[in-house]
Amino acid sequence: MTTQPPVTVRTFAQRLSPTPRGARLARHLALHQLHAWGIPHGSDASDTAAAIVAELAANAVTHGRVPGRDFELRLSLVTGSVRIEVTDTRTGPRPPAPGAVRQPEPLDENGRGLVLVEALADRWEVVDRVPPPGKTVRVEIDLPRWSALVRALDGASGSAQVGAGGWPVCTDTAPAPPKPTAAAAGS
């Protein structure tokens, strides 16, 4: 029997204020963390994740806000994909399930967020928050170069490179996006 080496699951979690500023900060933090994991800013996976985080965070702020309670952004590198979870503490009606998202009318002022999530995500679902109350919207984006990315992260010593056609983990020519600051989050 051949055993495979254990895979280190990488997770990032941050609680954020349920404000437009908190939603913008969620997107900035997600981009920064993905870059730190070797998914460079401006790549398809990074851009897709940024759009999904922006929509889910905006929904948490707009529809899931409970005064005095934060929402949470969680990112994880799981086998073959990056998982995005946005959790709020609001009870009541849940968002529609995958495949049940209603297409908005052309003149509707809202209702496009989950349509976008459904179009961009490889998989998504809405689950109960643990511990209750609330809900979590969980999205996965497949990463075609996942195994090379994880090998590079496991063996990274500052400037390791992924093999040909892979993403750089850290290079002098691919600078990380600037670290989010309070001023940047307000823009």
Side-chain angles (χ1 to χ4, degrees):
M1 180 167 136
T2 305
T3 60
Q4 295 182 353
V7 175
T8 302
V9 174
R10 288 173 171 74
T11 302
F12 168 85
Q14 181 67 51
R15 288 178 40 182
L16 299 148
S17 66
T19 62
R21 187 179 197 180
R24 286 188 302 272
L25 185 57
R27 182 181 170 280
H28 288 291
L29 289 169
L31 285 170
H32 186 76
Q33 185 60 51
L34 292 175
H35 187 86
W37 284 341
I39 302 169
H41 187 68
S43 67
D44 287 345
S46 177
D47 290 347
T48 298
I52 289 171
V53 168
E55 291 300 332
L56 295 180
N59 284 352
V61 167
T62 305
H63 306 294
R65 185 170 195 264
V66 174
R69 294 190 180 167
D70 296 337
F71 75 94
E72 182 179 80
L73 167 67
R74 179 177 295 271
L75 305 172
S76 305
L77 277 180
V78 297
T79 303
S81 62
V82 61
R83 179 178 294 157
I84 301 164
E85 296 174 302
V86 175
T87 301
D88 64 55
T89 57
R90 181 125 194 165
T91 58
R94 289 171 60 144
V101 177
R102 181 186 69 82
Q103 292 290 328
E105 296 297 320
L107 298 178
D108 285 352
E109 292 185 18
N110 53 31
R112 289 171 177 77
L114 287 179
V115 172
L116 182 64
V117 169
E118 190 156 58
L120 294 174
D122 290 297
R123 287 165 302 287
W124 72 282
E125 64 183 341
V126 181
V127 297
D128 291 333
R129 178 180 183 261
V130 178
K135 65 195 160 301
T136 298
V137 179
R138 180 179 299 143
V139 176
E140 288 189 5
I141 303 165
D142 289 340
L143 298 174
R145 299 180 190 112
W146 180 84
S147 60
L149 174 70
V150 170
R151 279 193 309 273
L153 286 169
D154 287 345
S157 60
S159 61
Q161 298 282 328
V162 177
W167 294 318
V169 172
C170 180
T171 69
D172 294 334
T173 59
K179 238 186 178 164
T181 64
S187 61

